[in-house]
Amino acid sequence: MVLDWHSSLWLRLAGRFDKLPHALLLAGPQGVGKSRFARALAARLLCERPGPDGFACGQCAGCRWFQGGNHPDLRLLEPGGDEAAETADEAAEGAAAKKKSDQIVIEQVRGLEKFVNLGAHRHGYKVVLIRPAEAMNLAAANSLLKMLEEPASGVLFILISNNPMRLLPTIRSRCQVLSFAKPERAAAEQWLQAAGVARPGPLLARTGGVPLAAKAMAQQGLDDQWDAFLTDLAEAAATGSLAPAGRWEIRLKQDKGGAELDKATLVGWLQKWVYDLISIKLTGLARYHPEQAERLAPIAERASAANLVDCYNELLRVRAVARHPLNPRLFLEDLLARYLKGVAPGR
Ligand SMILES: [Zn+2]
């Protein structure tokens, strides 16, 4: 199934499953459901008994292959996927040390040549999913371009991109673009509510209107952590940053395995909070924390716009280095010190 707010997009495609173009580009912001849509489309094209609703049946041999992640007529290209080619020995030796690639490399695209030129194993489409397409480096992109210029029949390339302007224009021009926008707030809140998210409104605001990100945040319990962080900002302003910095040092260390809560996440939360202080000061409205307006207003009133803007700009720089291996305690104390300077009464 696709998300409710994509059903009209789906219906537009559903009328012409037998005459799709050779390549589709699913473009739009992260977290609006592009991958889910792409999977539903791939499943439908590989299904051998599609239902009257236009979706994959979920029962046939093709669907079972698909669900098992090993349909012979489907290829998925993602960053780091080339590591599958390593021998078991190499993997055992170097797995820990080897940095996972953040690119889709040319070997992965070349690996498709046989796949696209041979006939389908089953009896329908062959589908290649590339996500995110902007992860292809130049060599990989050029190699893909050759395939798109001389398309083999019965193959559909589905490119997924959060940043389509970062793709080669020649690749973009060979794809039919499907644009994915953020859903209307009411539709997104309704979907979150149905998914069991307790506070859909505030979470949606904090993620900038991206429902899948809001749902993931609730599932990981990060919304509660975020609230605790906001409370600790208030404590730091009232009685100093020592105790809050200590608490967050422990939380960062505890979450090593999960990797959801890291230094960059904390900087991101603080950025949004400072953004709202500036926004309240200038326009009276909060973008990310509308439910916290009463807490934001007095801080914004005392602080100077210039200090807040300086603080916001500093946080942009801090975020750029937040993934470096820095001492977490010093990092947190520095972060809170910058915030306290930012909200200090005006100069
Ligand atoms: Zn099926």
Side-chain angles (χ1 to χ4, degrees):
M1 296 294 277
V2 300
L3 296 165
D4 296 345
W5 51 89
H6 294 147
S7 49
S8 63
L9 205 53
W10 178 266
L11 288 174
R12 259 168 46 206
L13 275 184
R16 51 194 179 95
F17 279 137
D18 50 343
K19 38 184 185 290
L20 289 173
H22 296 294
L24 290 171
L25 171 58
L26 277 49
Q30 187 160 23
V32 296
K34 299 185 298 300
S35 286
R36 188 184 286 228
F37 190 94
R39 280 184 62 80
L41 177 59
R44 163 62 182 77
L45 296 177
L46 297 170
C47 174
E48 291 158 22
R49 287 198 309 266
D53 58 358
F55 291 101
C57 75
Q59 315 280 328
C60 71
C63 283
R64 287 201 304 275
W65 284 109
F66 181 85
Q67 287 152 6
N70 48 9
H71 196 293
D73 294 325
L74 176 68
R75 288 286 183 281
L76 173 64
L77 261 56
E78 284 182 314
D82 55 319
E83 283 167 28
E86 279 180 38
T87 66
D89 285 349
E90 277 171 342
E93 263 175 41
K98 187 167 178 181
K99 187 176 168 290
K100 197 170 174 165
S101 169
D102 54 3
Q103 293 188 336
I104 294 173
V105 296
I106 188 167
E107 288 77 13
Q108 290 172 273
V109 179
R110 282 200 185 130
L112 293 173
E113 274 167 18
K114 257 193 193 158
F115 175 76
V116 300
N117 290 317
L118 293 177
H121 285 81
R122 307 294 298 181
H123 37 71
Y125 267 99
K126 287 179 289 179
V127 181
V128 179
L129 261 177
I130 305 179
R131 74 165 189 204
E134 62 269 27
M136 283 186 290
N137 63 25
L138 190 60
N142 275 316
S143 180
L144 178 72
L145 187 58
K146 288 201 195 93
M147 292 183 192
L148 296 181
E149 280 168 345
E150 293 162 20
S153 68
V155 182
L156 175 69
F157 288 89
I158 305 177
L159 282 67
I160 302 177
S161 177
N162 303 325
N163 276 310
M165 295 317 284
R166 283 174 54 201
L167 298 176
L168 289 182
T170 39
I171 286 198
R172 274 204 312 275
S173 70
R174 284 192 160 69
C175 298
Q176 185 181 326
V177 180
L178 299 183
S179 291
F180 286 70
K182 286 179 193 172
E184 298 286 328
R185 192 166 73 187
E189 284 189 16
Q190 210 172 18
W191 179 80
L192 284 169
Q193 208 146 29
V197 173
R199 295 186 300 154
L203 264 58
L204 199 60
R206 287 187 194 183
T207 54
V210 179
L212 299 190
K215 185 181 169 197
M217 193 160 81
Q219 281 172 339
Q220 294 160 0
L222 280 178
D223 50 335
D224 294 336
Q225 299 259 34
W226 194 331
D227 287 338
F229 184 73
L230 298 182
T231 302
D232 278 351
L233 286 182
E235 184 186 322
T239 59
S241 56
L242 229 58
R247 279 199 290 277
W248 286 96
E249 184 188 9
I250 293 168
R251 286 188 192 139
L252 283 177
K253 282 180 178 164
Q254 277 173 346
D255 210 66
K256 274 255 159 59
E260 279 88 13
L261 182 67
D262 58 12
K263 297 199 286 298
T265 304
L266 291 184
V267 183
W269 292 350
L270 186 54
Q271 265 181 316
K272 286 180 172 170
W273 182 253
V274 174
Y275 179 99
D276 272 353
L277 288 171
I278 297 170
S279 180
I280 288 253
K281 194 160 184 79
L282 300 182
T283 70
L285 293 172
R287 177 177 175 188
Y288 297 110
H289 310 82
E291 88 287 2
Q292 301 272 348
E294 281 179 23
R295 210 178 200 176
L296 286 157
I299 308 173
E301 193 177 349
R302 279 194 304 273
S304 84
N307 283 353
L308 288 172
V309 170
D310 284 350
C311 177
Y312 186 82
N313 288 332
E314 280 180 23
L315 292 176
L316 287 177
R317 288 193 287 275
V318 172
R319 193 168 187 183
V321 298
R323 300 208 187 274
H324 294 188
L326 307 161
N327 176 310
R329 180 57 182 250
L330 294 180
F331 181 86
L332 288 160
E333 286 180 3
D334 174 71
L335 193 66
L336 292 172
R338 285 175 201 270
Y339 172 67
L340 295 182
K341 205 172 115 205
V343 296
R347 60 189 174 202

